[in-house]
């Protein structure tokens, strides 16, 4: 790829400028959460090679589907960029383990290559987002972060680009707060179950969200895992099938 980006795996963005120059949250092999999570789709060899060849890695936060312990050793050659999180634990631990770490200043454009630059914003939830200027077009990597004050800045930046791609967690919401039982051990309905059984339209939600930010395109992201351990495989019933992303999607402003 001469200039552009692709997404793969759960929350992995690969940016190219003549060659792969940046990869985010690379989970390209192994599992997460003590073997409970696997990738829902295989990583093709071409994309896996591109991810590993990138000279710069950005990791949003410490959850193992983003800072993946099985994949991280593949990037010992790379420059590791981190958000400016309070306490600096991730930066300190990776530096101790021999990685070449750089903490990015908040809300500041930093060049990655001739035609690619990034702007990182950490938040009080110890998560972070990344805006990527790819030759004058904007990739807005919100992974699974919640707006904790950065939304207005993101919208202002989006307005300054003619074309923008919003990458963000979406779907029924199976990943958090799903395993509750009553005093008798009966599983309680989760948000994901209530949404799916109640006719929640993922596509309609995606269109509204993207229009609110003012982006021109949406890319499903930070949502592609499966449950594989014997005590969590039941949760696959509440993951979001890819086909659901178009159900209810209607917008004259968003692709």
């Amino acid at each position: 790829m001469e200039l552009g980006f692709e997404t793969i795996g759960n929350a992995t963005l690969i940016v190219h400028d003549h060659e792969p120059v940046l990869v985010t949250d690379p989970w390209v092999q192994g599992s997460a959460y003590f073997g409970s999570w696997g990738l829902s789709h295989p990583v093709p060899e071409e994309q896996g090679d591109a991810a590993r060849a990138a000279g710069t890695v950005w990791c949003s936060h410490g959850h193992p589907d983003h800072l993946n312990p099985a994949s991280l050793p593949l990037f010992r050659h790379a420059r590791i960029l981190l958000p400016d999180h309070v306490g600096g634990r991730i930066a300190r631990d990776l530096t101790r383990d021999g990685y070449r770490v750089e903490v990015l200043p908040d809300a500041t454009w930093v060049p990655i290559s001739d035609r690619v630059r990034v702007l990182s914003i950490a938040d009080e939830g110890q998560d972070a987002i990344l805006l990527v200027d790819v030759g004058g077009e904007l990739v807005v990597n919100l992974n699974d972060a919640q707006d904790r004050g950065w939304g207005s800045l993101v919208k202002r930046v989006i307005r300054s680009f003619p074309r923008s791609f919003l990458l963000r967690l979406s779907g029924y919401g199976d990943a958090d707060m799903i395993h509750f039982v009553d005093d008798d051990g009966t599983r309680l309905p989760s948000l994901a179950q209530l949404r799916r059984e109640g006719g929640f339209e993922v596509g309609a939600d995606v269109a509204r969200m993207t229009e609110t930010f003012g982006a021109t395109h949406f890319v499903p992201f930070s949502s592609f895992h499966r449950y594989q351990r014997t005590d969590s495989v039941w949760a696959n019933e509440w993951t979001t099938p890819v086909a659901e992303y178009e159900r209810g999607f209607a917008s004259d402003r968003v692709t």
Side-chain angles (χ1 to χ4, degrees):
M1 185 185 299
E2 168 64 19
L3 179 67
F5 75 93
E6 54 190 334
T7 64
I8 197 67
N10 180 56
T12 299
L13 165 72
I14 308 168
V15 181
H16 300 253
D17 185 2
H18 300 297
E19 62 185 4
V21 296
L22 173 69
V23 62
T24 71
D25 291 347
W27 176 14
V28 293
Q29 66 179 24
S31 61
Y33 294 108
F34 308 101
S36 180
W37 287 28
L39 291 168
S40 61
H41 299 74
V43 176
E45 183 177 359
E46 182 179 357
Q47 279 70 40
D49 289 345
R52 289 187 290 271
T56 301
V57 176
W58 179 80
C59 293
S60 60
H61 62 294
H63 288 165
D65 55 324
H66 295 263
L67 183 64
N68 182 251
S71 302
L72 190 60
L74 300 173
F75 300 94
R76 286 197 169 274
H77 66 284
R79 170 193 184 198
I80 308 293
L81 303 183
L82 296 175
D84 191 10
H85 285 140
V86 172
R89 176 185 174 184
I90 296 174
R92 185 170 59 252
D93 288 354
L94 291 183
T95 300
R96 178 202 63 202
D97 291 344
Y99 290 92
R100 183 160 48 99
V101 175
E102 180 180 337
V103 176
L104 294 175
D106 247 13
T108 302
W109 287 108
V110 174
I112 300 297
S113 67
D114 289 343
R115 296 178 288 181
V116 175
R117 59 178 183 155
V118 299
L119 184 151
S120 177
I121 306 174
D123 64 35
E124 62 186 22
Q126 295 290 68
D127 206 332
I129 66 168
L130 190 72
L131 309 183
V132 189
D133 179 354
V134 184
E137 299 189 353
L138 184 67
V139 179
V140 184
N141 179 356
L142 303 186
N143 60 85
D144 59 7
Q146 299 298 312
D147 184 0
R148 292 182 170 90
W150 42 254
S152 58
L153 173 59
V154 170
K155 292 173 185 176
R156 287 199 303 272
V157 175
I158 287 174
R159 286 197 298 268
S160 66
F161 284 80
R163 194 156 70 141
S164 51
F165 299 82
L166 183 69
L167 284 54
R168 194 182 196 185
L169 171 71
S170 52
Y172 296 133
D174 62 279
D176 276 330
M177 304 300 175
I178 190 174
H179 193 186
F180 288 105
V181 297
D182 63 17
D183 291 341
D184 297 322
T186 302
R187 186 170 290 122
L188 299 176
S190 65
L191 175 62
Q193 180 178 347
L194 293 173
R195 280 179 164 180
R196 183 163 187 168
E197 294 180 345
F200 176 80
E201 293 185 323
V202 176
D205 184 61
V206 161
R208 285 191 297 268
M209 175 175 63
T210 311
E211 288 179 347
T212 297
F213 276 98
T216 60
H217 294 70
F218 177 80
V219 181
F221 199 66
S222 199
S223 307
F224 296 104
H225 55 269
R226 62 179 175 86
Y227 300 95
Q228 59 185 21
R229 208 170 58 196
T230 55
D231 60 344
S232 62
V233 69
W234 61 269
N236 284 317
E237 183 177 0
W238 310 115
T239 57
T240 307
V242 173
E244 289 298 295
Y245 285 93
E246 70 175 315
R247 191 164 71 89
F249 188 98
S251 175
D252 56 4
R253 291 185 281 159
V254 175
T255 301

